[in-house]
Amino acid sequence: MSAVLEIEGLRKTYRSRKRGVRRALDGFDMRVEAGQVHGFLGPNGSGKTTTLRTLLGLIRPNSGRMAILGQELPHALPAVAGQVGAIVESPQFFPHFSARDTLGLLAQAGELPKQRVDEVLELVGLRDRAGERVKTYSLGMKQRLAVASALLKNPKLLILDEPANGLDPGGIREMRGLMRELSENGMTVVLSSHILGEIQLICDSVTIISLGRRVAFGPVEQVLAAHSQGSVRVRLEAVGDLPQAADALTRAGVRVTTEPDHLLLSGVDKPATVSRLLAEQGLYVSELTPVAVDLESVFLELTATAPVPGQHRQVDQSAKVDQAGTTGGWGA
Ligand SMILES: Nc1ncnc2c1ncn2[C@@H]1O[C@H](COP(=O)(O)OP(=O)(O)OP(=O)(O)O)[C@@H](O)[C@H]1O
Ligand SMILES: [Mg+2]
């Protein structure tokens, strides 16, 4: 497989007199193969938008390597720009223009054939309202217009930051169908999202970022399999004892996620160890079941140490990345 997007060791540091040094990207790696729908996941402030803006030449990185379609950036940006369609954060459109006028102008500026406007309006399901002014559009309709504008030049690589933002469930499903269709026609799609159930349905592969570093990557099923091993659900006779149980297990080195009526443990070799540890605390389990994890629980486990956005960070994440580097993986 060939890589459409490659990032190695990308660093971006913001400095301010008040807040000191903030490492938005701290040696970040990413690789996306041709024809994939790739999910780019991470908590608020983990570095997704910074990565995408850096790729598009809007931010200058401190160091690291980036390539799109095999061409090194930022040097080759003018050469590859025509093959990359992107929306990063909410794009702004002229409120008094219709969607058709907006896309018509963009097509003209990009020297694209006029009929492409109707094609993309059809693709994103906006054709019926295309003559109305943008200021009368709902959030979801504006989002569709943004995707239409990114699709105009029929790019080889489509980059979408939060494309499901503002879409209703029907709209999300349509967007999912569209992403599939585009990738079946050979387009590579990178999308960031916080809707993890959606990402699990839509994406072939994912990259998970936390504190500016990659903590997991690879085909979705591999990432899930790597984290399903040793995942156990524990219920206790008394729900009120869950915090004490979580404490005891955490102290024993087990990774614990607390749910309202049970605990989800990961990295458990022998379930018997769990029941023994809890019995030593005078706590008795009523259920101990191996579980297959979903992307949301993997995400929460891997990004659990992420700070509140805006908080100064000085956490040494090296141990975590070593461990996570072994998860997922692209094979040969
Ligand atoms: N211009 C800037 N000046 C200073 N710090 C910045 C700047 N832009 C981003 N940051 C910081 O860099 C970090 C990464 O931000 P980024 O916008 O890339 O996160 P994100 O993953 O896109 O988050 P979200 O999910 O909220 O969109 C954050 O700590 C943010 O505060
Ligand atoms: Mg962002």
Side-chain angles (χ1 to χ4, degrees), residues 13 49 74 85-86 111 118 136 142 155 203 222 255 311-313 332:
T13 304
T49 300
E111 295 177 2
D118 285 301
T136 67
K142 286 184 191 141
C203 292
Q222 270 187 35
R255 291 195 296 278
Q311 196 173 306
H312 190 71
R313 66 179 64 174

Side-chain angles (χ1 to χ4, degrees), residues 45-181:
S46 55
K48 301 179 297 296
T49 300
T50 303
T51 302
L52 300 180
R53 291 177 67 85
T54 307
L55 263 178
L56 298 172
L58 302 171
I59 293 177
R60 191 197 296 265
N62 296 88
S63 60
R65 195 196 139 234
M66 299 178 288
I68 286 183
L69 297 161
Q71 307 221 50
E72 297 296 317
L73 301 181
H75 176 71
L77 203 56
V80 296
Q83 324 220 44
V84 182
I87 29 171
V88 178
E89 299 200 322
S90 312
Q92 301 296 315
F93 296 107
F94 294 120
H96 296 288
F97 280 36
S98 69
R100 184 169 278 114
D101 294 341
T102 305
L103 295 171
L105 267 182
L106 291 171
Q108 208 178 0
E111 295 177 2
L112 301 164
K114 215 161 180 240
Q115 86 255 18
R116 183 68 188 150
V117 170
D118 285 301
E119 283 171 21
V120 295
L121 283 168
E122 180 75 46
L123 273 174
V124 302
L126 205 58
R127 205 190 48 180
D128 292 349
R129 307 278 304 262
E132 294 174 34
R133 290 199 277 182
V134 169
K135 72 172 192 179
T136 67
Y137 285 1
S138 68
L139 182 59
M141 291 165 71
K142 286 184 191 141
Q143 197 66 6
R144 287 165 199 252
L145 174 57
V147 175
S149 69
L151 282 173
L152 264 182
K153 51 188 162 182
N154 197 10
K156 289 205 170 106
L157 171 63
L158 179 66
I159 296 177
L160 305 175
D161 202 5
E162 293 287 336
N165 191 13
L167 294 181
D168 56 29
I172 291 180
R173 177 184 284 192
E174 280 168 31
M175 198 57 78
R176 192 197 307 155
L178 175 60
M179 300 297 139
R180 273 275 137 250
E181 196 182 315

Side-chain angles (χ1 to χ4, degrees), residues 192-246:
S192 82
S193 179
H194 293 113
I195 310 175
L196 297 172
E198 194 49 38
I199 289 282
Q200 196 170 336
L201 283 174
I202 254 185
C203 292
D204 306 300
S205 53
V206 289
T207 296
I208 303 182
I209 183 172
S210 176
L211 301 169
R213 291 187 182 187
R214 181 171 71 179
V215 292
F217 66 105
V220 173
E221 63 279 14
Q222 270 187 35
V223 170
L224 292 177
H227 290 269
S228 289
Q229 287 158 7
S231 283
V232 176
R233 183 173 55 234
V234 175
R235 286 181 209 278
L236 299 182
E237 279 177 348
V239 173
D241 290 339
L242 287 176
Q244 189 193 340

